[in-house]
Amino acid sequence: MTIIELTEQSSSPQLSSLTPIVDIVAIHGLYEDTLQTWTHAETRIVWLRDLFPHRKYKARILLYGYKAESLKSPGEGPADRILPHANSLVAELCADRQLSNALKRPIIFICHGFGGLLIKRALAFSHSRRAKAVEHLRSLYTSTYGVLFRGTPHNGVRSETLLLSQQDNGLGPSQCMISPLKGSEMLSEITDQFAPLMKQFLVYNFWEQIETHVGDIKAYMVDKDSAAPVWDNVERCGIIATHSGMTKFKSSADPGYRVILEVLIRYITHAPQLIKLRWENDLKSLVAERQREAEVLLKPNFQSLLSDDAIMADINKWFLVPRRSSNIFTRRQLHAKAVKEKFGRIQKQNARKKHKILVIYGLGGSGKTQFCLKYLEDMKSSYWGMFWIDASTKENAESSFASLGQQVGKGATFVAGIHWLSRCSKPWLLVIDNADDPDIDVSQYIPAGWNGHIIITTRNPGVMTHTTAGHIKFHGVDPEEAIDLLLRSAYPQDEQEYPNPQNRMLAQGIASELGFLALALVNAGTTIRCNVYTLERYLHYYLGHRREMMSYPRLKNADETNIITTWEIPFRRIIDRNASPEHRGAVQLRHVFAFMHFEFIPESVFLRSWNNVPRYEIPHANFPDIFQVESAWNEEAQARLRRAVRVLYNYSIVDHDPDKGVCSLHPVVQRWARDRLTESEQKKWLGCTTAVVAHCISPDLEASGQRYRRLLLPHIESCLRAMRSQHSSLPETAVQTTEMERFAWVYAENGLWKQARMLQRQVIDFRVRVLGRRHEDTIRAQCSLRSTYWNLFEIKSAVEVQLQVLQSRWWSRPSLAYWIAWPPWKPNHISYLLALNDLTHTLWLAGKRDLSKMAGERAVKGLMKHLGPEDPKTLTAMFNLARTYLHLGDQKTSHRLLLQVLVKRKHFFGLNHPDTLTTRNEVGMSLCAGRRHLAAAERLVTNVLKCRRKILGEEHAYTLWSVNDLSKVLCERGRLQNAVRILEETIPVAIRTLGEDHIGVSMTRSNLARAYSLSKRWTEAEENLRLLLNQIPSEHPDWFHAMSGYIHVQMKLGHVKDAENISIDIMDKVTRTKALTLDHPRTVIIAKQLSNIYRMQGRTDKIAASKKRIPAVMEHGELREHFNVLPVAGSI
């Protein structure tokens, strides 16, 4: 490091009597030295000395020089080589100015190229020196008035420009040389540090306007957008010169010189007064800070990390973390200590008002995920629960919370999982990993409450807005730890190699060029362990490979280039050994993994697909060799797959957990695995991957495979995202249609109805267009869509689709015999009968119970004839018809059918099969509706509720349905307080889980209103009924039932006139719209309520007119004092 004072070279006697009022400090770039940068090649004029009138303006001119060769040489120094140089610049300038009695003199910096980055880092370092022992170093920041950046790559340089400057260097650029590539971590960090300080200085950016020639190639070394970004309140100007020539002038007439002369004169004129004021303010600020520090030191601190109430018998109850940390993980003890300090005490009951949220951010491959895995393992005994969320996409985050909810027994939904965690009062730690997407709002994955510790890992610094406990930035690991990590990866079985001085020196050079990135170090060590290159030769070959990789346009920055190069070297070795079956299989598996989600890739994906994929619609030759087997999934096939996985694992391309049978890739590596393929290769391997995943999904959707299919959701989403990026519209082929259909089945099975609906609509549109509406595949997709509409409570759409299916089945008869059978307009073939059964189900929910009965009776009769009474399809039709009978008031027939179904389902499926549970529940409700054997009814419904809580979770829709049914039984048994309690607890769960407009919420409100009414809590009953009436369509039969309850409550509240008017309006609506028949049970109830009102008023003429209008009123006895479970005729 050197400081040259140009003004000392003058022999003028007048100069010594003039005290400078400003220091002008010029800093050179990487490609020219201290004096050469500012010297015109022809005239040898150093313009700062020979042209600029420094005597006139009382300016001292300093040239600061540093050893650029050390920055350009591979394998030397730390990863962040700019920081030591910045520290030296601050120290040397401060010392020079102190010795010259000029510590408070204003400074104007003139920087060229890389020198601009150096001064930005130096000013940020100087600004941070506030402690008493080093506050003198802060003087550089305080005294700086302006900075003139000439060709400084604020936004980085292009890789082709960097390679242009390195044409004579066979090995390629060093790590420091590639650090200024666009998008690099170093540039981002310098910008983040300098941006808050910019408002303190005047800044002027200059850019080159003539391209630099190297051989036959010419280019701008630093383009305009990088050298002169559009910043607020910053001047900018182009210089008609090359990158080198923009710092040199041959005469004062040069246009570029006159611009800079004006700027310097202006800065010198105003600098002294402003810098004097800044020194005064800064001194006051430091004095106040010293006082605060003294106060803090005087305060006693008795807090320990773990409070007494945190030591509980059930620590650690929950440890829901997907995988273990690597056995060669570098501990990062300082970071672990920092996390503990930022979180503070871990306690059971916390007085905090919000969670402690810590953000760990840094570039991909810096070891954030591995650090968190190890931290959780080390801190396991301190927390009641530890949980892990994959936030790489919205779908994966929601799936992770759903898995959490399922494992804790609350239900496999996002809402169930995050709500359960928000209610936990014991100390827990949550990691939200890979929250990199700036379009995802991370706050939606932070549970409510205040008792948690949360770590968010991200590459996006914007996530720091969510922190409440600070942040930690991950760079490369500590140099000594980096050397240890590299050597442990290279020599895992030989610890004697670690302290070897020669090995450590070689490892230090490699680690430096890898930016000390954890992932790159592990990859490099693995390459050495596998004898691809020796430790001695690795750096030489690595630099050549990295130079080649820099020409790939998809690599975004230096750090990513380092990681990908360390991965590409061993992968090319695997490709070179393609003649070996296991190496060929490894390459093929890697191509498949590229389109799956990077985490938790189960080996069983291939087990379940092995026999199906070769017989799939895609030609056999399009599939990789690893799938070209004639036999089933036997020992040979398993061994072949495991050998291929082992190759990838040995080269650190994938992680493999043999105990769990899963693989994973780092997300940076996975992206490159996809990007390195050509467009045609990507389409080929994406097609193969989607076929593999789709054939893991059985068309029968067996209950035993549901948990496994949930694990496929991230991989399904990854395949769909890739398909959408490669195809303008989906689906484009019949194969894609089949795959999307299967993916929709998994979405639907896991309650992701909207995602399923979107795919199913696309599948149907394609098949209607290509195959026709009556094709079997089209009809099957329509049946799935009907079920999805049913679960979304989009009843009108469900009925429309089902009628289309019924019409298609009407025309699509198996043989001529079904056309000539009498009557031909009433087909009786099985597929038509099954469609009738589906329609029965949908019409029942739509409230069209009479039509539901007609369809159901035909379906049951026909299926009995064709399939027999024990076939599962017949049993389903019998169940749907029985439920319709129950809601029409035919309890005896309903109960008889339900018992028949229950006996057979228990025999064939078992007691706890979902279909058996549904039947058991409905038998209990049949007994309740008839008000007989209520103890048995309660026992049935309670047992079903217990089973559903255990199997489905406490917040599953079917579990909530059982809670509602239990409340009805409790009301009938007079245990009203219990009924009210469980329903009040269920309302917020139903709203949170199902949505405000879902039928489950309406049903719960209806039952709660009835329980309030029976408890004579009329005001609460009225409030719930109002909410209910706003949800139910006014043409639905249940709306009339709710209105009946509302009339009842109005009468109890003494609002007789309102009750009368409502009753009259409803009767008029029934007559006018024919929404219900005049003898319908609901019509009869409302008519009787109106008659009672007239009776109370002594208006006998009105009673007679009402009975004449609704004759069915005379056929029934007195109206009960409350509205019933089901407003059926038999219960009036």
Side-chain angles (χ1 to χ4, degrees):
M1 309 289 180
T2 58
I3 297 178
I4 301 174
E5 183 173 345
L6 296 183
T7 49
E8 286 183 343
Q9 298 176 16
S10 173
S11 59
S12 171
Q14 290 82 6
L15 182 62
S16 59
S17 62
L18 297 176
T19 302
I21 62 171
V22 66
D23 283 349
I24 298 176
V25 182
I27 305 174
H28 64 91
L30 284 177
Y31 302 110
E32 295 176 303
D33 63 26
T34 310
L35 196 60
Q36 182 186 10
T37 300
W38 316 101
T39 304
H40 193 275
E42 297 176 5
T43 62
R44 310 307 299 171
I45 289 177
V46 181
W47 69 270
L48 283 163
R49 179 192 65 200
D50 303 325
L51 297 181
F52 178 69
H54 48 80
R55 298 180 182 85
K56 178 179 179 181
Y57 293 105
K58 300 181 180 181
R60 184 171 70 139
I61 310 298
L62 303 176
L63 302 184
Y64 180 83
Y66 55 92
K67 191 177 178 182
E69 282 303 316
S70 66
L71 296 171
K72 295 188 287 185
S73 300
E76 292 187 14
D80 186 2
R81 299 184 203 175
I82 192 172
L83 180 58
H85 285 75
N87 294 352
S88 297
L89 186 155
V90 172
E92 293 193 26
L93 274 180
C94 285
D96 178 88
R97 284 161 55 81
Q98 182 73 59
L99 293 173
S100 302
N101 196 27
L103 196 65
K104 297 184 179 181
R105 184 184 296 164
I107 304 174
I108 300 169
F109 285 105
I110 304 175
C111 318
H112 181 228
F114 184 86
L117 301 180
L118 181 61
I119 195 57
K120 288 167 75 173
R121 192 65 176 264
L123 288 171
F125 173 75
S126 175
H127 172 260
S128 67
R129 304 297 91 183
R130 302 187 66 87
K132 180 69 175 176
V134 293
E135 66 180 22
H136 63 285
L137 298 178
R138 185 176 168 83
S139 65
L140 199 71
Y141 158 77
T142 309
S143 297
T144 298
Y145 179 80
V147 186
L148 281 65
F149 293 107
R150 302 176 73 80
T152 294
H154 299 291
N155 293 333
V157 297
R158 300 189 304 274
S159 57
E160 55 268 31
T161 302
L162 183 58
L163 291 174
L164 181 66
S165 67
Q166 294 285 306
Q167 281 198 340
D168 296 333
N169 186 349
L171 291 180
S174 68
Q175 169 65 17
C176 184
M177 293 289 288
I178 69 172
S179 293
L181 285 175
K182 288 181 180 290
S184 76
E185 180 73 7
M186 185 200 78
L187 280 177
S188 175
E189 183 176 337
I190 291 175
T191 300
D192 291 344
Q193 293 177 353
F194 185 70
L197 312 181
M198 274 184 56
K199 60 185 178 182
Q200 300 294 325
F201 318 126
L202 292 181
V203 174
Y204 207 129
N205 287 322
F206 297 87
W207 73 89
E208 63 208 67
Q209 293 183 307
I210 297 179
E211 294 173 310
T212 298
H213 287 251
V214 178
D216 296 330
I217 305 173
K218 60 180 182 178
Y220 293 110
M221 298 300 292
V222 182
D223 57 44
K224 177 182 175 182
D225 291 338
S226 182
V230 180
W231 293 338
D232 291 338
N233 303 316
V234 170
E235 295 179 277
R236 50 207 295 266
C237 179
I239 300 293
I240 305 175
T242 63
H243 183 72
S244 173
M246 69 190 305
T247 59
K248 303 168 177 66
F249 305 113
K250 63 181 179 180
S251 74
S252 59
D254 286 0
Y257 171 74
R258 294 184 64 80
V259 172
I260 198 169
L261 175 63
E262 184 277 329
V263 175
L264 289 174
I265 293 172
R266 176 157 42 92
Y267 283 11
I268 292 170
T269 302
H270 297 101
Q273 184 176 357
L274 187 143
I275 296 303
K276 179 182 178 182
L277 181 62
R278 188 187 295 170
W279 269 98
E280 293 172 355
N281 292 336
D282 202 55
L283 182 60
K284 293 177 183 178
S285 173
L286 287 173
V287 169
E289 190 169 318
R290 299 289 174 268
Q291 292 176 342
R292 289 193 296 270
E293 290 173 355
E295 293 172 358
V296 170
L297 289 173
L298 293 174
K299 287 183 178 180
N301 183 9
F302 302 112
Q303 288 189 346
S304 62
L305 180 63
L306 184 63
S307 64
D308 293 338
D309 61 355
I311 303 174
M312 298 170 290
D314 54 356
I315 285 184
N316 172 273
K317 182 174 182 179
W318 299 105
F319 190 75
L320 305 183
V321 178
R323 56 190 172 98
R324 314 181 285 230
S325 66
S326 169
N327 57 0
I328 60 170
F329 173 72
T330 300
R331 289 181 174 273
R332 296 193 184 229
Q333 297 287 8
L334 293 177
H335 286 95
K337 182 180 178 181
V339 173
K340 294 176 185 178
E341 290 175 350
K342 289 178 182 296
F343 278 149
R345 301 175 67 193
I346 303 170
Q347 50 193 19
K348 180 179 178 181
Q349 298 294 338
N350 207 319
R352 297 194 312 267
K353 294 184 178 180
K354 54 187 176 182
H355 300 304
K356 285 195 173 181
I357 304 172
L358 173 70
V359 173
I360 297 179
Y361 77 100
L363 53 91
S366 58
K368 302 183 296 295
T369 297
Q370 283 295 328
F371 170 81
C372 289
L373 288 169
K374 185 61 178 174
Y375 184 81
L376 265 61
E377 292 167 1
D378 291 344
M379 296 295 292
K380 183 176 179 180
S381 62
S382 300
Y383 287 90
W384 171 78
M386 289 181 160
F387 312 98
W388 193 278
I389 300 300
D390 171 15
S392 55
T393 67
K394 180 177 182 292
E395 293 77 14
N396 291 338
E398 293 182 357
S399 179
S400 295
F401 272 113
S403 178
L404 188 158
Q406 184 180 48
Q407 292 183 74
V408 300
K410 293 295 179 180
T413 65
F414 163 70
V415 175
I418 196 170
H419 180 74
W420 175 82
L421 193 54
S422 71
R423 301 296 299 273
C424 292
S425 60
K426 296 178 181 178
W428 50 263
L429 174 61
L430 171 70
V431 174
I432 302 176
D433 192 34
N434 287 315
D436 304 326
D437 190 341
D439 294 330
I440 295 178
D441 179 10
V442 180
S443 65
Q444 64 187 310
Y445 307 126
I446 299 174
W450 56 85
N451 206 49
H453 288 173
I454 300 172
I455 299 176
I456 304 175
T457 72
T458 181
R459 289 179 293 153
N460 175 18
V463 175
M464 285 191 294
T465 57
H466 302 293
T467 184
T468 61
H471 65 270
I472 297 175
K473 183 167 185 178
F474 268 39
H475 306 272
V477 297
D478 176 80
E480 287 301 312
E481 287 187 340
I483 293 170
D484 289 338
L485 178 59
L486 176 60
L487 292 176
R488 277 204 306 273
S489 301
Y491 307 108
Q493 306 299 328
D494 192 356
E495 295 186 7
Q496 294 181 356
E497 298 290 344
Y498 304 168
N500 183 309
Q502 183 179 358
N503 285 353
R504 295 190 72 82
M505 183 179 68
L506 292 169
Q508 194 278 334
I510 296 171
S512 174
E513 282 306 311
L514 298 180
F516 297 101
L517 294 173
L519 180 61
L521 290 164
V522 171
N523 290 347
T526 302
T527 301
I528 295 167
R529 186 188 74 232
C530 294
N531 296 316
V532 177
Y533 299 124
T534 63
L535 181 66
E536 292 78 9
R537 299 298 295 164
Y538 182 85
L539 182 59
H540 174 83
Y541 288 105
Y542 168 79
L543 291 172
H545 280 288
R546 185 172 69 182
R547 178 179 182 131
E548 178 187 346
M549 298 301 293
M550 287 176 62
S551 63
Y552 282 80
R554 292 181 180 177
L555 289 177
K556 298 177 181 178
N557 53 57
D559 311 306
E560 194 169 284
T561 302
N562 283 331
I563 293 173
I564 295 305
T565 304
T566 62
W567 175 82
E568 182 74 10
I569 291 171
F571 187 67
R572 289 186 183 181
R573 174 59 61 92
I574 297 174
I575 294 175
D576 291 342
R577 297 180 175 180
N578 209 36
S580 161
E582 58 264 30
H583 287 80
R584 187 164 58 253
V587 173
Q588 294 163 353
L589 274 183
R590 200 277 324 191
H591 293 331
V592 171
F593 288 169
F595 295 96
M596 301 180 76
H597 183 54
F598 56 83
E599 286 274 18
F600 211 86
I601 304 172
E603 291 179 5
S604 53
V605 164
F606 305 98
L607 182 153
R608 294 173 184 247
S609 297
W610 201 280
N611 294 317
N612 297 328
V613 171
R615 295 194 295 270
Y616 195 47
E617 293 93 330
I618 298 178
H620 189 269
N622 285 1
F623 281 91
D625 293 344
I626 197 167
F627 294 120
Q628 304 286 356
V629 292
E630 301 300 331
S631 59
W633 179 263
N634 53 24
E635 287 297 325
E636 179 187 354
Q638 294 180 53
R640 186 174 179 181
L641 173 66
R642 287 172 183 158
R643 285 196 297 268
V645 170
R646 193 69 187 173
V647 169
L648 295 175
Y649 174 72
N650 286 340
Y651 283 93
S652 286
I653 292 171
V654 303
D655 288 331
H656 181 229
D657 186 337
D659 296 334
K660 294 183 178 179
V662 296
C663 300
S664 61
L665 297 83
H666 193 280
V668 173
V669 174
Q670 194 220 27
R671 282 195 300 273
W672 175 244
R674 185 182 304 178
D675 289 344
R676 76 184 303 278
L677 297 172
T678 64
E679 185 175 345
S680 61
E681 288 174 332
Q682 286 190 16
K683 288 185 176 181
K684 171 189 173 181
W685 287 105
L686 173 58
C688 178
T689 306
T690 52
V692 168
V693 176
H695 275 78
C696 295
I697 304 163
S698 168
D700 299 323
L701 296 179
E702 297 88 350
S704 59
Q706 184 174 2
R707 184 181 294 272
Y708 170 77
R709 288 189 292 273
R710 169 168 283 281
L711 298 177
L712 294 179
L713 282 171
H715 305 297
I716 289 172
E717 183 60 33
S718 180
C719 288
L720 286 171
R721 254 195 331 270
M723 290 170 71
R724 291 175 185 131
S725 69
Q726 290 191 10
H727 303 276
S728 57
S729 62
L730 286 173
E732 293 182 351
T733 66
V735 170
Q736 290 178 348
T737 306
T738 302
E739 292 162 350
M740 291 172 64
E741 180 181 41
R742 294 191 176 204
F743 294 164
W745 294 344
V746 179
Y747 278 138
E749 182 182 41
N750 287 282
L752 302 172
W753 306 111
K754 292 181 179 178
Q755 291 92 320
R757 178 182 60 188
M758 180 182 69
L759 292 182
Q760 287 162 350
R761 285 172 172 172
Q762 291 175 312
V763 167
I764 291 170
D765 288 345
F766 179 88
R767 287 180 174 167
V768 168
R769 185 173 67 253
V770 176
L771 304 176
R773 190 171 295 278
R774 298 175 192 170
H775 193 278
E776 187 62 32
D777 290 348
T778 307
I779 296 172
R780 183 181 66 243
Q782 287 179 311
C783 290
S784 297
L785 180 60
R786 192 276 313 174
S787 177
T788 299
Y789 280 140
W790 197 96
N791 284 284
L792 286 169
F793 197 44
E794 296 178 6
I795 304 304
K796 184 177 179 181
S797 297
V799 172
E800 289 175 354
V801 171
Q802 193 56 53
L803 290 174
Q804 291 174 9
V805 171
L806 196 66
Q807 184 181 33
S808 298
R809 293 300 190 193
W810 196 96
W811 288 103
S812 304
R813 306 189 189 191
S815 66
L816 181 62
Y818 286 95
W819 281 103
I820 62 177
W822 188 262
W825 56 85
K826 285 188 177 182
N828 198 34
H829 54 286
I830 293 175
S831 60
Y832 183 82
L833 296 170
L834 293 175
L836 273 177
N837 176 51
D838 289 341
L839 185 60
T840 301
H841 189 215
T842 307
L843 290 172
W844 166 78
L845 185 63
K848 307 295 184 182
R849 307 292 162 60
D850 291 325
L851 293 175
S852 176
K853 175 187 173 184
M854 292 172 57
E857 288 176 341
R858 281 190 62 192
V860 169
K861 181 180 178 181
L863 291 172
M864 282 276 196
K865 176 182 176 182
H866 289 289
L867 302 177
E870 295 185 349
D871 188 272
K873 297 182 179 66
T874 306
L875 294 177
T876 300
M878 292 169 64
F879 174 81
N880 289 336
L881 179 59
R883 187 157 50 183
T884 299
Y885 281 144
L886 180 61
H887 284 75
L888 285 172
D890 190 350
Q891 297 166 6
K892 186 178 293 186
T893 307
S894 172
H895 191 69
R896 176 177 54 80
L897 273 177
L898 286 171
L899 287 177
Q900 293 177 28
V901 174
L902 180 58
V903 169
K904 291 181 173 62
R905 281 183 168 173
K906 284 171 63 176
H907 175 71
F908 292 117
F909 304 148
L911 189 63
N912 294 329
H913 187 276
D915 291 346
T916 310
L917 289 175
T918 302
T919 312
R920 289 168 62 192
N921 194 83
E922 207 66 19
V923 169
M925 294 316 298
S926 172
L927 294 174
C928 179
R931 297 185 179 84
R932 64 185 190 278
H933 306 298
L934 291 177
E938 181 178 354
R939 186 168 59 252
L940 277 167
V941 177
T942 301
N943 288 338
V944 170
L945 176 58
K946 288 179 180 178
C947 288
R948 283 178 169 170
R949 280 176 172 162
K950 181 179 179 180
I951 297 171
L952 302 176
E954 295 183 5
E955 299 190 2
H956 192 277
Y958 285 170
T959 306
L960 300 181
W961 194 303
S962 288
V963 171
N964 273 270
D965 286 344
L966 179 59
S967 75
K968 298 175 185 178
V969 179
L970 293 174
C971 284
E972 291 305 315
R973 301 201 72 187
R975 289 159 47 199
L976 302 176
Q977 289 185 352
N978 290 347
V980 168
R981 176 181 55 80
I982 64 174
L983 288 170
E984 286 179 339
E985 292 172 354
T986 301
I987 281 283
V989 177
I991 293 173
R992 186 176 67 246
T993 305
L994 305 176
E996 185 75 43
D997 298 329
H998 195 276
I999 185 175
V1001 176
S1002 302
M1003 177 176 63
T1004 308
R1005 283 208 171 105
S1006 174
N1007 290 321
L1008 181 57
R1010 180 172 180 272
Y1012 281 146
S1013 177
L1014 291 170
S1015 303
K1016 296 182 169 44
R1017 295 168 61 175
W1018 309 116
T1019 303
E1020 290 100 324
E1022 180 188 31
E1023 180 182 348
N1024 269 273
L1025 285 167
R1026 284 184 184 274
L1027 292 170
L1028 182 64
L1029 289 167
N1030 288 330
Q1031 285 184 272
I1032 304 175
S1034 60
E1035 68 276 5
H1036 196 283
D1038 288 349
W1039 182 85
F1040 293 92
H1041 175 44
M1043 286 303 302
S1044 171
Y1046 189 70
I1047 293 168
H1048 175 75
V1049 171
Q1050 291 300 308
M1051 292 176 65
K1052 292 299 181 180
L1053 287 170
H1055 304 157
V1056 179
K1057 188 62 178 176
D1058 291 341
E1060 178 187 353
N1061 292 336
I1062 293 169
S1063 301
I1064 293 172
D1065 290 343
I1066 293 174
M1067 297 308 300
D1068 289 343
K1069 180 175 181 176
V1070 169
T1071 305
R1072 183 177 68 256
T1073 65
K1074 311 295 184 187
L1076 298 176
T1077 61
L1078 294 180
D1079 60 348
H1080 193 282
R1082 289 178 171 84
T1083 309
V1084 173
I1085 287 177
I1086 296 171
K1088 286 195 69 65
Q1089 287 177 311
L1090 183 58
S1091 296
N1092 282 353
I1093 294 171
Y1094 290 150
R1095 187 176 295 108
M1096 291 169 56
Q1097 298 171 339
R1099 297 161 66 182
T1100 56
D1101 56 328
K1102 292 289 186 179
I1103 295 174
S1106 178
K1107 290 182 177 180
K1108 183 177 179 181
R1109 184 181 185 185
I1110 311 292
V1113 172
M1114 302 178 66
E1115 300 174 7
H1116 305 286
E1118 292 298 318
L1119 186 69
R1120 290 169 61 96
E1121 271 296 301
H1122 55 81
F1123 58 97
N1124 302 300
V1125 181
L1126 295 169
V1128 291
S1131 62
I1132 294 177

